[in-house]
Amino acid sequence: MPAVAEVPTLAHTAVGDLRGTVEGGVAVWRGVPYAQQPVGERRFAAPAPLPAWTGVRDAVEHGPLPLQSRSLVAGDRNNPKIRDEACLTLTVWSPETSASLPVMVWIPGGAFLTGAGQLQLYKGSRLAAHGNVVVVNVSYRVGVFGGFELGDLGEGFDDNLCLRDQIAALAWVRDNIAAFGGDPHRVTAFGQSAGATSILAMLASPAADGLFARAIVQSPALPLIADRATRAEQARQFLDRLGVGPKAIKELPQRQLRRAAGELQLASVATTPTLAHGLTYGVDLLPRHPIEAARAGTVTRLPLIIGANRHEASIFARSKPPMLPTTPANINRCLSRLGPQARERVLAAYPGYPRRRARIALGGDAMFGAGVWAFADAYSAHAPTYVYRFDHTPWVLRALGLGAVHGSEIVQIQHNYASQLGRRLHPLGSWLQPAVGRRMQRTWLDFATKGWSDGHSWSDDWPPYDTRRRATRVIRSWSDVVLDDPDAVRRSAWAGLF
């Protein structure tokens, strides 16, 4: 890596020059716009290309967070404080701007309600420095402005806005990342939860074909992708709550719009695991649900890591109301839509039901696990697929009785142990990195950097997944192990239901 003083921070993009800064030997550019800001008449419209500018723009400060409510991840004291609809920016970290390094593009999660690439938990400097890669963090519209489907309201309303924003950001990476020391032909998209869901949607979207060459998908929530008719009815209910026509919502105060969408989100607990915020299939951008597309072979074929955490739903079971099917009432509603035979088959896979442990396992599988198994089964017939299960439970989560909860793997990959969530999970992590974090970050970096041109596999100890063996890497606290079909009973119970 070059000396700090030698890392250039002036980047010549396709539309203008940007000046960043250097922190810890890594160049960083913040608040980089990748599309016109979606304000005024552009509210609820697809992202538009940036106009060119003259001179040099400073890219030192973060842009605003997307409008959203407070959350555990977004509550870090070092996160940006300003939230605004003008949020289409990204952050770039590069350890060597004159090189042509592999690129990792982070798509953050947050149930399509919260989240942003600027959050401290997702800071990419350590990943860039440790792996000698360029890291790009994307912020996109969430909540009513991006994650709530209004595409059927007519002219001026485009569908799947959050997905369109992410595709626009990846197109920006393709066109500009060489100016930051990145190789546009070696791009790995990686994301968690809603971000992971979006990456699978992009594999099924013709518009995203060719924008990335590898993918890492952490805990995708595939039930959050609903059909067009469901979303159109939801948009009608949204207008009814507001008492206005489509044109009027272009000018309504953001708080009023967010309140109406939030009420529908709470009401959608009755249809969990499908909720009011999410993506829409059956449209040009996303013709099929990703699982259906994978079964039909109409997906982009590239190496894929996909997996989930062992106790995904435990943290959601404590929310009020619980948005995942973790209560007997929610579970009964969820399974009743599958039919009586399927209901009995699924319940039989969770011994002790309706005890809490069984309910949490079922809820986690309904939202995350079952979709992972179904997608991996289908996609592995077309492209190299590697499946994991994250089991590591730090003592804090063990003491709380939560286990390997949703999102607890992120800090192990980014090594942001000084973030608010990082300090809670691993209070000593900034001084003594957990063994699981060292292994997991190295594995993710190996996937993004190795085996591009020499004909060798990127890994010698992680066998590809197939439906004969279903080899799964189980990521534990002190060591990892590959097991064949470790959740066979539960996986079989959900087979054919997704």
Side-chain angles (χ1 to χ4, degrees):
M1 184 184 299
V4 171
E6 297 177 358
V7 181
T9 62
L10 183 63
H12 306 285
T13 77
V15 292
D17 295 344
L18 293 168
R19 179 179 288 112
T21 187
V22 175
E23 297 174 357
V26 176
V28 56
W29 295 261
R30 299 186 177 93
V32 178
Y34 61 85
Q36 292 184 41
Q37 296 306 327
V39 296
E41 284 300 311
R42 299 221 56 79
R43 180 189 263 187
F44 301 119
L50 280 170
W53 66 80
T54 58
V56 179
R57 287 188 178 183
D58 284 333
V60 177
E61 301 294 333
H62 281 301
L65 298 181
L67 286 170
Q68 58 192 273
S69 301
R70 290 182 60 85
S71 66
L72 176 62
V73 175
D76 195 299
R77 64 176 179 268
N78 293 317
N79 287 334
K81 302 299 186 290
I82 299 174
R83 306 179 186 206
D84 196 85
E85 291 182 56
C87 62
L88 300 188
T89 65
L90 45 79
T91 310
V92 182
W93 290 268
S94 177
E96 191 175 350
T97 56
S98 61
S100 185
L101 303 175
V103 181
M104 298 183 72
V105 180
W106 174 251
I107 312 292
F112 300 103
L113 279 163
T114 64
Q118 303 101 311
L119 303 184
Q120 287 297 303
L121 179 63
Y122 307 144
K123 186 177 179 181
S125 56
R126 290 175 181 82
L127 201 60
H130 294 173
N132 203 33
V133 296
V134 175
V135 177
V136 180
N137 282 13
V138 177
S139 289
Y140 56 92
R141 284 172 282 184
V142 296
V144 68
F145 298 106
F148 189 86
E149 185 58 68
L150 297 173
D152 268 309
L153 293 186
E155 185 178 356
F157 294 87
D158 291 305
D159 59 68
N160 288 306
L161 291 175
C162 51
L163 192 64
R164 291 181 184 275
D165 291 348
Q166 296 159 14
I167 291 172
L170 284 161
W172 182 96
V173 169
R174 176 197 61 201
D175 297 339
N176 295 286
I177 204 62
F180 300 82
D183 182 351
H185 303 293
R186 292 190 291 167
V187 174
T188 298
F190 71 127
Q192 185 265 350
S193 195
T197 308
S198 299
I199 292 173
L200 294 186
M202 284 189 272
L203 291 178
S205 173
D209 189 26
L211 292 180
F212 52 96
R214 295 183 180 180
I216 302 174
V217 172
Q218 302 163 210
S219 303
L222 284 165
L224 297 186
I225 307 178
D227 63 90
R228 181 176 181 177
T230 297
R231 297 302 192 201
E233 170 58 22
Q234 178 182 291
R236 185 194 63 77
Q237 294 175 17
F238 179 68
L239 291 181
D240 287 346
R241 285 178 181 265
L242 291 170
V244 299
K247 291 184 178 180
I249 68 173
K250 288 271 190 177
E251 299 179 358
L252 285 180
Q254 55 93 0
R255 289 182 181 275
Q256 189 175 348
L257 298 172
R258 291 171 60 202
R259 185 182 305 112
E263 291 169 354
L264 287 171
Q265 178 76 359
L266 291 175
S268 69
V269 70
T271 60
T272 184
T274 300
L275 300 173
H277 287 73
L279 301 179
T280 306
Y281 72 92
V283 296
D284 289 344
L285 186 72
L286 186 57
R288 288 176 161 173
H289 191 283
I291 294 176
E292 295 174 359
R295 287 171 178 157
T298 57
V299 284
T300 301
R301 304 179 183 195
L302 46 75
L304 170 72
I305 288 177
I306 184 171
N309 296 1
R310 187 166 189 175
H311 308 103
E312 291 276 8
S314 60
I315 194 74
F316 297 103
R318 300 191 175 192
S319 64
K320 302 293 182 183
M323 300 306 292
L324 268 63
T326 55
T327 65
N330 283 353
I331 289 171
N332 285 335
R333 281 193 291 262
C334 171
L335 297 183
S336 67
R337 295 190 290 273
L338 304 177
Q341 292 184 338
R343 181 183 187 279
E344 295 307 315
R345 190 178 83 196
V346 169
L347 290 180
Y350 300 88
Y353 182 84
R355 293 180 180 173
R356 181 178 181 274
R357 178 177 294 183
R359 287 188 281 109
I360 287 175
L362 194 157
D365 289 346
M367 181 63 86
F368 304 103
V372 167
W373 298 322
F375 191 87
D377 276 3
Y379 193 77
S380 61
H382 309 293
T385 304
Y386 303 87
V387 175
Y388 74 88
R389 191 185 74 196
F390 182 77
D391 283 16
H392 167 68
T393 303
W395 67 266
V396 173
L397 294 180
R398 189 177 295 113
L400 293 171
L402 292 174
V405 302
H406 186 67
S408 60
E409 86 287 359
I410 297 172
V411 69
Q412 312 301 344
I413 298 162
Q414 307 281 13
H415 282 199
N416 288 323
Y417 299 107
S419 66
Q420 180 182 25
L421 188 58
R423 294 193 304 273
R424 292 188 181 188
L425 294 179
H426 291 280
L428 301 179
S430 293
W431 297 274
L432 182 64
Q433 295 171 356
V436 65
R438 296 194 298 272
R439 293 195 320 274
M440 199 169 185
Q441 186 187 78
R442 187 68 260 165
T443 300
W444 264 226
L445 286 169
D446 284 350
F447 180 77
T449 60
K450 292 184 175 181
W452 285 97
S453 59
D454 58 10
H456 294 98
S457 171
W458 69 274
S459 173
D460 295 327
D461 60 359
W462 191 344
Y465 181 96
D466 58 45
T467 54
R468 178 187 59 85
R469 182 181 170 189
R470 293 190 171 88
T472 301
R473 187 185 190 102
V474 179
I475 300 172
R476 306 178 300 183
S477 297
W478 298 106
S479 65
D480 300 343
V481 61
V482 175
L483 300 177
D484 290 351
D485 207 1
D487 299 299
V489 173
R490 286 154 53 185
R491 177 193 57 75
S492 297
W494 287 95
L497 301 180
F498 265 74

